[in-house]
């Protein structure tokens, strides 16, 4: 089988081309991070089977920065029959140098000038035949979007597949360096690729007048972010509830009757443990789906680069950049997709720093807990202020963390970000993207949660001598830690449940106080003074959001050590904040 | 003068880049190299990034980096 690789600068449409050629709907990132997996697919070109590999975008082959290293590693370690270079036809002045370097690797190359539609719109004059002749390589002008030039592309690919000899390793030593490549490219382009003397004003420019305006831009940014969160919960929230009810109904109608024949411990493990845990995770699926539909719309439109522009000044002081701010806001919806969203960052250290602060975003699950407590303990007049204060604490915890860790995790690379023209997102891409995220989330989080749930179930069921259950014993053991922050011993179990998911937290509080969800408000007000309650809430806000987030951090960082650091730091910070609060407030 | 001093909405021709090799390569990938005309499209508030245009490519660059790039101002 022939081996072809798709290579080119970021955002030139490699993944779009890959999807259109292979008919796949595999999610291949629009802004890949360093950890983005390579995508492979087989397709028939002419009468040859070809395996096509989609690589992350690169700027330059002679560099040794992290993102280029991925491509260098693949090219240096695997044999290919040919490279398919994807270039933005409207940006050949800066993109052709990469083609010069790649054609010098000794591998046969096919040059694909993509985005012919945009080049035409800009009035760019391209003599494809002459350019192909000068480069000494076949060249096609296509638009993956409109399908222009598609037949020629298919023909050129088939020819390439037919003529391909034995696969070879790319020669990466002795390539022309950036300077040489740039000079050669300039000479090659003279007379065959011409920009018009003045570029036509595009819609993009007019939109940016507003969206990148110093203060109108910030207002628009706030409106778009508000639409993102509210949209997610307005649409996803009811869907989550419906799914939750359906799963609950299934449990009562089918599973509970079946389980009556089982020994009671097994029935409890299966129903209260496994089923409850897995279905709790499953109910997040609609929220994640809706969130990623909206995310993909924003991402594919090109708006993220504008948001990064607006917030960069603030984030620079925290060792991050503008994209990190966008992710932090997204965490207010749900931390899990925000952690997954760090894929838009290229540099690993920036991704890690972002992942470290995202868990402090007050997500909707914790919002429920905060709303519940403030309604139970404060007058309706004060409750909204309590909520606002918790959002402030959430942002402060994130900023403090970024500030503390920025020295260790600060990115050193130059911050250069292409601001692409606005593009209309394709519905198919948006939907497949969202579905792909949901599937990945369910696969991983469910395996992770099954283990966690079984463990928590065991803790609360296994008797432990004089202390009641193991969980009670744990509460007793943890009391030296909990007493200084004013959290009563029985609530240790609740915090353990909260580790799995904050959604379980209210339910487990009800178990601890022996009341149903409905009567919890009165029970809380009777049993907890406000200082202890606030301390408990602060702890709940700051410590580990949920197992799903930990799983997402583990998966995205690919590092157990970093995951431990993230968990450990949030526990420590939560304890310190609660400690300071409780010690001060109880002395008032 | 240096690129970060350029007024928003004006153009300059790059004359010199005082950058290390690695950064030089990264900015070259966006078309910033001697002899090129850059258009400073806009500048973010509070010392935020500059939005530059070289040819048809628009990109962000921080002022701290732009300080190391010399340009000749054009009308
Ligand atoms: N107008 C136009 N837009 C295109 C065309 N091909 C791709 N796009 C858009 O360009 C953007 C980038 O496309 P991708 O396929 O994600 O680019 P990529 O090369 O895989 O990008 P990286 O993975 O970041 O390297 C998307 O918004 C596409 O919808 C085209 O021919 N014309
Ligand atoms: Mg891609």
């Amino acid at each position: 089988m022939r081996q072809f690789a798709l290579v080119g600068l970021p955002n030139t449409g490699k993944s779009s081309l890959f999807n259109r050629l292979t008919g796949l709907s595999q999610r291949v990132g629009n802004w890949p991070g360093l950890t983005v997996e390579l995508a492979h697919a087989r397709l028939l070109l002419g009468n040859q089977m070809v395996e096509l590999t989609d690589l992350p975008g690169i700027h330059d082959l002679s560099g040794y920065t992290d993102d280029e290293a991925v491509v260098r590693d693949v090219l240096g370690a695997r044999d290919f029959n040919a490279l398919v270079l994807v270039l933005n036809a409207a940006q050949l002045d800066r993109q052709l140098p990469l083609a010069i370097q790649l054609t010098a690797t000794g591998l046969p190359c096919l040059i694909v000038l993509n985005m012919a539609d945009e080049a035409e719109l800009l009035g760019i004059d391209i003599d494809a035949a002459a350019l192909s002749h000068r480069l000494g390589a076949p060249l096609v002008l296509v638009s993956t979007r409109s399908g222009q030039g598609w037949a020629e592309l298919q023909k050129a690919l088939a020819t390439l597949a037919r003529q391909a000899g034995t696969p070879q390793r790319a020669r990466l030593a002795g390539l022309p360096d950036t300077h040489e490549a740039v000079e050669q490219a300039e000479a090659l382009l003279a007379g065959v690729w011409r920009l018009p003397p003045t570029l036509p004003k595009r819609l993009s420019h007019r939109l940016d007048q507003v969206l990148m305006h110093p203060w109108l831009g910030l207002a628009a940014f706030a409106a778009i972010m508000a639409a993102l969160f509210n949209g997610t919960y307005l649409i996803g929230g009811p869907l989550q509830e419906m799914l939750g009810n359906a799963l609950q109904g299934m449990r009562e109608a089918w599973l509970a009757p079946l389980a009556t024949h089982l020994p009671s411990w097994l029935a409890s493990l299966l129903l209260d443990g496994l089923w409850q845990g897995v279905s709790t995770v499953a109910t997040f699926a609609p929220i994640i789906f809706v969130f990623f539909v909206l995310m993909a719309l924003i991402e594919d439109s090109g708006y993220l680069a504008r948001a990064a522009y607006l917030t960069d000044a603030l984030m620079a002081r925290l060792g991050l950049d503008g994209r990190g701010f966008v992710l932090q806001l997204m965490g207010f919806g749900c931390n899990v997709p925000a952690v997954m969203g760090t894929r838009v960052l290229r540099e690993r250290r920036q991704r890690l720093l972002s992942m470290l602060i995202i868990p402090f975003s007050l997500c909707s699950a914790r919002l429920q807990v905060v709303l519940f407590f403030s309604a139970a303990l404060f007058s309706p007049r004060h409750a909204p202020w309590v909520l606002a204060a918790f959002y402030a604490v959430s942002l402060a915890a994130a900023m403090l963390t970024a500030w503390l860790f920025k020295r260790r995790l600060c990115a050193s690379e130059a911050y250069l970000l292409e601001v692409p023209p606005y593009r209309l997102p394709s519905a198919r891409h948006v939907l497949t993207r969202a579905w792909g995220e949901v599937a990945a989330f369910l696969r991983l989080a469910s395996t992770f949660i099954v283990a966690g749930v079984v463990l928590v179930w065991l803790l609360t069921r296994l008797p432990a001598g004089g202390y009641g259950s193991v969980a009670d014993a744990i509460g007793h053991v943890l009391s030296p830690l909990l007493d200084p922050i004013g959290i009563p011993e029985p609530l240790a179990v609740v915090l353990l449940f909260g580790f799995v998911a904050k959604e379980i937290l209210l339910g487990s509080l009800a178990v601890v106080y022996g009341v149903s969800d409905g009567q919890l408000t009165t029970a809380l007000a009777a049993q907890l003074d406000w200082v202890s309650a606030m301390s408990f809430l602060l702890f709940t806000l700051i410590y580990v959001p949920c197992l799903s987030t930990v799983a997402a951090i583990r998966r995205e960082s690919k590092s157990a050590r970093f995951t431990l650091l993230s968990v450990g730091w949030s526990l420590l910070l939560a304890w310190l904040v609660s400690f300071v609060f409780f010690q001060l407030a109880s002395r008032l | 003068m240096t690129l970060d001093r350029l007024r928003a909405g004006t153009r300059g021709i790059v004359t010199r880049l005082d950058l290390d090799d690695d950064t030089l390569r990264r900015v070259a990938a966006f078309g910033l190299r001697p002899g090129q005309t850059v258009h400073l499209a806009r500048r973010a508030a509070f010392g935020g990034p500059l939005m530059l245009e070289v040819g048809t490519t628009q990109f962000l660059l921080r002022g701290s980096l732009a300080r190391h790039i010399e340009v000749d101002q054009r009308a």
Side-chain angles (χ1 to χ4, degrees):
Chain A
M1 189 164 41
R2 312 290 198 216
Q3 294 288 339
F4 286 11
L6 279 169
V7 202
L9 274 87
N11 254 310
T12 51
K14 295 178 298 300
S15 307
S16 310
L17 195 82
F18 178 85
N19 280 344
R20 190 161 179 157
L21 277 174
T22 59
L24 275 192
S25 42
Q26 187 169 356
R27 187 198 172 268
V28 271
N30 198 1
W31 300 46
L34 184 84
T35 50
V36 126
E37 290 90 6
L38 311 172
H40 305 280
R42 285 164 193 200
L43 70 159
L44 199 63
L45 292 173
N47 50 10
Q48 296 286 343
M49 259 325 241
V50 173
E51 186 175 48
L52 190 63
T53 304
D54 183 29
L55 295 172
I58 47 165
H59 287 106
D60 188 319
L61 256 193
S62 59
Y64 291 94
T65 48
D66 291 349
D67 46 347
E68 278 120 352
V70 176
V71 175
R72 278 188 75 100
D73 288 351
V74 174
L75 291 181
R78 281 182 38 194
D79 293 340
F80 286 99
N81 294 93
L83 300 178
V84 179
L85 313 188
V86 184
L87 309 178
N88 180 340
Q91 299 182 345
L92 281 191
D93 48 349
R94 74 173 182 111
Q95 303 210 341
L96 204 66
L98 180 68
I100 305 274
Q101 290 184 327
L102 285 165
T103 46
T105 58
L107 290 174
C109 290
L110 168 67
I111 317 250
V112 179
L113 301 186
N114 192 27
M115 313 222 180
D117 55 326
E118 287 193 357
E120 199 169 308
L121 219 64
L122 288 165
I124 297 171
D125 185 25
I126 305 174
D127 186 344
L131 185 56
S132 167
H133 184 73
R134 287 190 189 178
L135 276 164
L139 181 147
V140 285
L141 186 64
V142 305
S143 163
T144 306
R145 164 99 11 130
S146 72
Q148 175 190 337
W150 207 253
E152 289 95 282
L153 173 67
Q154 295 274 16
K155 232 171 64 199
L157 282 170
T159 310
L160 199 64
R162 201 176 53 244
Q163 292 172 345
T166 50
Q168 317 161 19
R169 200 62 54 87
R171 233 189 3 255
L172 293 175
L175 295 180
D177 68 14
T178 311
H179 186 71
E180 281 170 60
V182 162
E183 291 202 328
Q184 286 184 33
E186 215 162 312
L188 280 175
L189 284 178
V192 301
W193 183 87
R194 268 183 307 260
L195 289 179
T198 51
L199 290 168
K201 276 276 170 235
R202 301 183 61 181
L203 181 61
S204 252
H205 286 102
R206 279 198 292 275
L207 280 173
D208 280 339
Q209 296 286 329
V210 177
L211 295 177
M212 293 175 97
H213 186 275
W215 57 269
L216 276 182
L218 284 177
F221 175 73
I224 290 172
M225 286 303 132
L228 175 68
F229 313 141
N230 291 336
T232 301
Y233 289 96
L234 272 168
I235 306 168
L239 290 177
Q240 180 182 33
E241 207 174 302
M242 269 165 59
L243 185 59
N245 289 340
L247 290 169
Q248 182 67 24
M250 256 164 86
R251 173 189 168 142
E252 275 153 25
W254 299 329
L255 296 175
L258 278 180
T260 49
H261 306 297
L262 298 172
S264 69
W265 67 268
L266 186 58
S268 170
L269 170 64
L270 290 178
L271 288 182
D272 303 332
L274 273 181
W275 179 260
Q276 197 59 39
V278 171
S279 59
T280 303
V281 174
T283 59
F284 275 105
I287 288 202
I288 290 201
F289 183 79
V290 175
F291 181 86
F292 269 102
V293 164
L294 297 176
M295 257 288 274
L297 283 175
I298 294 178
E299 205 181 278
D300 218 23
S301 71
Y303 182 72
L304 278 186
R306 275 78 184 177
Y309 167 85
L310 291 169
T311 54
D312 187 61
L314 169 69
M315 296 311 277
R317 289 175 177 86
L318 297 173
L320 285 161
D321 67 47
R323 291 164 299 181
F325 187 83
V326 177
L327 292 169
Q328 193 61 20
L329 288 180
M330 286 165 182
F332 285 144
C334 177
N335 291 179
V336 174
V339 167
M340 283 153 76
T342 60
R343 285 179 203 169
V344 301
L345 305 176
R346 274 192 177 274
E347 239 224 12
R348 176 168 168 83
R349 286 191 292 180
Q350 281 228 321
R351 286 195 69 192
L352 293 183
L353 190 56
S354 264
M355 272 187 239
L356 204 57
I357 68 170
I358 285 168
F360 298 112
S361 264
L362 202 169
C363 67
S364 71
R366 280 173 286 183
L367 179 63
Q368 289 171 26
V369 181
V370 174
L371 281 176
F372 196 88
F373 267 73
S374 43
L377 298 167
F378 296 91
S379 70
R381 214 157 50 83
H382 291 133
W385 293 104
V386 176
L387 181 61
F390 274 92
Y391 272 111
V393 171
S394 152
L395 274 178
M399 290 191 171
L400 174 73
T401 301
W403 186 77
L404 283 176
F405 285 88
K406 74 174 179 183
R407 268 161 221 90
R408 284 195 48 209
L409 292 176
C410 182
S412 53
E413 81 166 60
Y415 173 58
L416 281 152
L417 182 70
E418 192 196 347
V419 180
Y422 291 102
R423 294 182 174 124
L424 212 59
S426 98
R428 180 174 173 272
H429 165 75
V430 165
L431 292 177
T432 45
R433 157 91 200 271
W435 174 245
E437 296 293 351
V438 168
F441 165 74
L442 284 182
R443 266 197 311 274
L444 207 109
S446 60
T447 48
F448 205 92
I449 210 98
V450 164
V453 155
V454 171
L455 192 71
V456 172
W457 179 86
L458 280 175
L459 291 181
T460 54
R461 298 305 146 112
L462 287 181
Y467 293 121
S469 70
V470 174
D472 293 336
I474 287 174
H476 188 73
V477 170
L478 289 180
S479 65
L481 281 175
L482 295 178
D483 290 346
I485 60 175
I487 295 181
E489 247 175 68
L491 292 188
V493 196
V494 175
L495 290 176
L496 273 182
F497 274 94
F499 189 89
V500 177
K502 294 291 173 291
E503 285 75 6
I504 310 177
L505 204 143
L506 290 178
S508 53
L509 257 182
V511 175
V512 166
Y513 287 114
V515 292
S516 74
D517 271 11
Q519 298 153 327
L520 190 53
T521 318
T522 28
L524 270 183
Q527 308 233 6
L528 273 180
D529 63 288
W530 80 273
V531 181
S532 285
M534 288 300 273
S535 180
F536 176 79
L537 265 191
L538 280 171
F539 194 88
T540 301
L541 165 63
I542 300 171
Y543 89 118
V544 186
C546 61
L547 276 187
S548 307
T549 302
V550 177
I553 291 176
R554 171 74 182 82
R555 182 164 93 128
E556 298 297 323
S557 72
K558 300 207 161 91
S559 157
R561 260 186 62 201
F562 175 78
T563 312
L564 267 177
L565 169 74
S566 161
V567 170
W569 165 245
S570 62
L571 282 170
L572 178 67
L573 185 65
W575 192 86
L576 288 175
V577 170
S578 295
F579 178 76
V580 170
F581 171 81
F582 182 73
Q583 294 301 329
L584 288 178
S586 54
R587 277 173 178 72
L588 281 181
Chain B
M1 80 172 148
T2 55
L3 179 56
D4 60 314
R5 300 278 193 79
L6 211 58
R7 209 152 37 82
T10 62
R11 279 163 216 285
I13 294 188
V14 179
T15 54
R16 215 182 57 205
L17 302 113
D18 292 320
L19 301 166
D20 61 86
D21 275 0
D22 205 49
T23 315
L24 212 55
R25 265 197 299 273
R26 289 196 86 79
V27 299
F30 286 85
L32 264 190
R33 45 179 202 261
Q36 280 285 355
T37 305
V38 279
H39 176 218
L40 201 159
R42 57 185 79 244
R43 183 193 298 275
F46 310 113
L50 314 174
M51 180 153 98
L52 302 173
E53 278 172 21
V54 176
T56 57
T57 308
Q58 293 189 315
F59 60 98
L60 303 182
L61 183 83
R62 281 184 175 166
S64 52
L65 214 144
R67 253 205 311 281
H68 301 286
I69 299 172
E70 287 280 340
V71 293
D72 268 351
Q73 187 161 14
R74 287 295 132 113

